[in-house]
Amino acid sequence: MRGLVLVAALCAAFPAMAQTAPQTRAQLVARGAYLVESIGTCGNCHSQQRMVDGRAEVVPGSELAGGMPDDAPFGRWIGPNITPDPETGIGRWTEAQIAVAIREGKRPDGSTIGPPMPIGYLRHTSDADIAAIAAYLKSIPPIRRDSGRSEYRMPLPPAWGPPVGTVAAPADTPVARGEYLVTFAHCLECHTPMLPGGRRDATRMGAGGFEMMTPGGIVVTANITPNREHGIGDWTDAQIIRAVTTGVSANGRLLSPPMGYAWYRRVTPGDLADIVAYLRTLPAVP
Ligand code: HEC
Ligand code: HEC
């Protein structure tokens, strides 16, 4: 509980300086808290959750200490403990090693981090933001909990791509900032259909139709392109923001997990406006 209050305080402290890169250690940690605890939805995979009245809720005390095992076509995966506990978490990793793990999917021992950790999207995180995330993960209370390890039915590649190098912050326009946030939030990972063979259909980005297993059964993701008939083209900005932050669709229906509505609720109004501005530029796919 104290941890949550702290996070709320840190998130509240940050927005005022959103446009400038963090200067002090405290500002760096606050920016990291905001990214991890809101738009990054890290706890959606790295914490335990339970359903309460149709909504997913983090089990108190399990924040970032590892999720529950989940079955997927590629195997049985677990979002591990990413608190700074030296035995069961990432307490022995340096901040530089944490940054490489998140952007490149490689642990300090050289092993590859498997799906669904959204490495392909997190690669595009700016140098300033990845440093902030690593600093925040080092600052949270360590929780001793062995979360277990994923078991993949397929071999993982030696790397997900070349080393990331330097990533600059996005250009200072609503659409560029929104694209950066939508990438970091990996919205299109869930909201794009798969081609046979397991690749995303790049011609139908955001068109939905991707089936996900949840405790409540199979959920099909929605079309979030500006298509007026099948997507959100006719929705107001307020309706889009309400869906993302509260899990209530334009027609009033309560939306299902695994989308991390509870995390998106903490996204600042400015960032939400940028996300909407970018979604409205996606090709309108039926
Ligand atoms: C969709 C689920 C998902 C989301 C969202 C996610 N992760 Fe992960 N993450 C995983 C899984 C699964 C693994 C472990 C994969 C494996 O076992 O090889 C992992 C591994 C990691 C590791 C390596 C830990 C270790 O001990 O191997 C770190 C660090 C990490 N994630 C940080 C983050 C951060 C920070 C965020 C948010 C910006 C995040 N993750 C978002 C699923 C997720
Ligand atoms: C982990 C997968 C996942 C991620 C990540 C995700 N979503 Fe979703 N989203 C879903 C699912 C599943 C639904 C539909 C739930 C249902 O129908 O009950 C949904 C529904 C929506 C809806 C409501 C659409 C409608 O017709 O009611 C909007 C809008 C939306 N998502 C936008 C976003 C945005 C913007 C992001 C990134 C900031 C995002 N989503 C990230 C899985 C995801």
Side-chain angles (χ1 to χ4, degrees):
M1 187 61 208
R2 201 176 303 151
L4 273 183
V5 173
L6 179 68
V7 163
L10 287 172
C11 290
F14 187 70
M17 37 177 253
Q19 291 316 313
T20 50
Q23 303 298 325
T24 67
R25 182 77 189 169
Q27 287 174 333
L28 196 67
V29 170
R31 172 68 179 165
Y34 174 66
L35 292 168
V36 167
E37 304 296 346
S38 67
I39 190 82
T41 63
C42 313
N44 201 13
C45 294
H46 289 280
S47 308
Q48 297 187 51
Q49 295 187 62
R50 59 184 177 209
M51 292 301 287
V52 179
D53 298 334
R55 291 178 189 272
E57 179 184 285
V58 169
V59 177
S62 81
E63 292 86 2
L64 301 178
M68 287 167 286
D70 203 351
D71 290 304
F74 50 75
R76 191 174 174 79
W77 63 273
I78 300 173
N81 184 341
I82 55 170
T83 73
D85 182 64
E87 308 298 333
T88 61
I90 57 173
R92 293 213 175 97
W93 301 11
T94 64
E95 286 173 36
Q97 288 172 330
I98 296 173
V100 169
I102 297 168
R103 279 206 307 201
E104 301 182 18
K106 202 168 266 303
R107 296 187 185 87
D109 67 5
S111 60
T112 300
I113 295 170
M117 173 71 181
I119 301 292
Y121 298 84
L122 296 175
R123 282 183 81 77
H124 304 286
T125 307
S126 73
D127 295 352
D129 281 348
I130 202 71
I133 291 169
Y136 172 65
L137 290 180
K138 278 289 199 182
S139 79
I140 59 178
I143 299 177
R144 174 148 309 199
R145 175 175 177 268
D146 183 356
S147 48
R149 284 284 155 197
S150 310
E151 287 164 31
Y152 294 103
R153 277 194 283 275
M154 52 163 209
L156 297 177
W160 293 111
V164 166
T166 297
V167 182
D172 206 6
T173 67
V175 172
R177 290 192 308 255
E179 179 175 21
Y180 177 81
L181 292 167
V182 164
T183 304
F184 180 68
H186 64 282
C187 312
L188 299 181
E189 167 74 2
C190 293
H191 281 281
T192 303
M194 287 265 203
L195 292 167
R199 287 185 65 103
R200 302 278 152 204
D201 185 347
T203 65
R204 302 179 52 76
M205 295 306 278
F210 176 53
E211 291 186 354
M212 309 193 81
M213 273 302 292
T214 72
I218 290 186
V219 179
V220 183
T221 61
N223 184 329
I224 57 168
T225 75
N227 183 279
R228 299 187 61 177
E229 200 183 340
H230 303 119
I232 54 175
D234 277 345
W235 293 28
T236 63
D237 291 1
Q239 284 174 320
I240 299 172
I241 289 168
R242 182 177 74 155
V244 171
T245 58
T246 69
V248 177
S249 186
N251 64 9
R253 181 172 69 87
L254 187 61
L255 296 164
S256 141
M259 185 163 149
Y261 314 101
W263 284 269
Y264 296 138
R265 191 172 308 143
R266 303 189 193 117
V267 177
T268 62
D271 281 353
L272 288 167
D274 291 344
I275 288 170
V276 170
Y278 172 67
L279 291 180
R280 295 212 187 274
T281 69
L282 289 174
V285 189

